Amino acid sequence: MSETEKPSKLDAPMRGALVGVIGSAVVLTIGSFALGGPRFGIGVAIGGALAPLNLWVFAQVGEAFLSRRGNTAPWAVIATLKLALLLGGVWLILRSGIASGLSLIVGYGALPIGITVGTLFGPKPPDDFADGDPKRRSFGDAPRKDVLKARPADEGDPSNEP
């Protein structure tokens, strides 16, 4: 990476989800043109274009809220605008008759499909606690002892004798 390039703020799993959404949108669009005709295919393409755009904006807003760097108020405005533009844009598309509601839904279906595919087959988040430091263990890594093989508390304990 050169000095002029900015590193991506999106982590590897989110980039994998975005690639999955874009890939599934392309597959759904090609299938729709082949099986449903040009008008249906255009609607699926529009819905498929809205899906990764919506996920990208959602990731940017979520990262801004979670990082808590600076003022998050502008991102709240952006999140509200995102919702208003998404709903308003879909309303305009349906009102104008460019695409049917079903074709938009099929195209927007790339969002859950792509997120699922990207999560299952994409890059995994880094394991921050793999260094073996016992102070940094998670709850599931707690040492376990076999309860069935443990000796009873009163057996061999001199304080329990009568």
Side-chain angles (χ1 to χ4, degrees):
M1 182 167 28
S2 70
E3 292 177 21
T4 59
E5 289 182 48
K6 290 186 346 184
S8 174
K9 293 195 312 187
L10 300 178
D11 60 351
M14 181 55 77
R15 286 192 307 269
L18 270 170
V19 168
V21 171
I22 293 168
S24 59
V26 168
V27 169
L28 288 171
T29 300
I30 291 170
S32 296
F33 271 110
L35 299 174
R39 185 166 187 262
F40 194 79
I42 289 171
V44 173
I46 292 170
L50 289 173
L53 181 65
N54 190 32
L55 181 61
W56 181 79
V57 173
F58 178 76
Q60 297 297 321
V61 170
E63 195 273 332
F65 278 120
L66 291 176
S67 69
R68 297 185 189 262
R69 278 182 258 134
N71 188 3
T72 57
W75 289 104
V77 172
I78 290 173
T80 305
L81 283 174
K82 176 191 84 83
L83 180 63
L85 288 174
L86 178 65
L87 295 176
V90 168
W91 181 80
L92 284 174
I93 291 168
L94 293 175
R95 184 85 169 154
S96 68
I98 294 172
S100 70
L102 181 61
S103 63
L104 288 175
I105 291 171
V106 169
Y108 204 74
L111 187 64
I113 294 168
I115 289 173
T116 303
V117 168
T119 302
L120 290 175
F121 302 111
K124 304 298 180 232
D127 187 11
D128 293 337
F129 302 111
D131 59 359
D133 184 4
K135 294 178 186 172
R136 296 180 65 185
R137 270 195 203 148
S138 67
F139 179 74
D141 295 338
R144 298 179 183 157
K145 66 178 184 179
D146 192 354
V147 178
L148 297 176
K149 292 183 180 178
R151 68 184 170 110
D154 60 349
E155 183 180 306
D157 188 2
S159 64
N160 287 340
E161 291 183 13

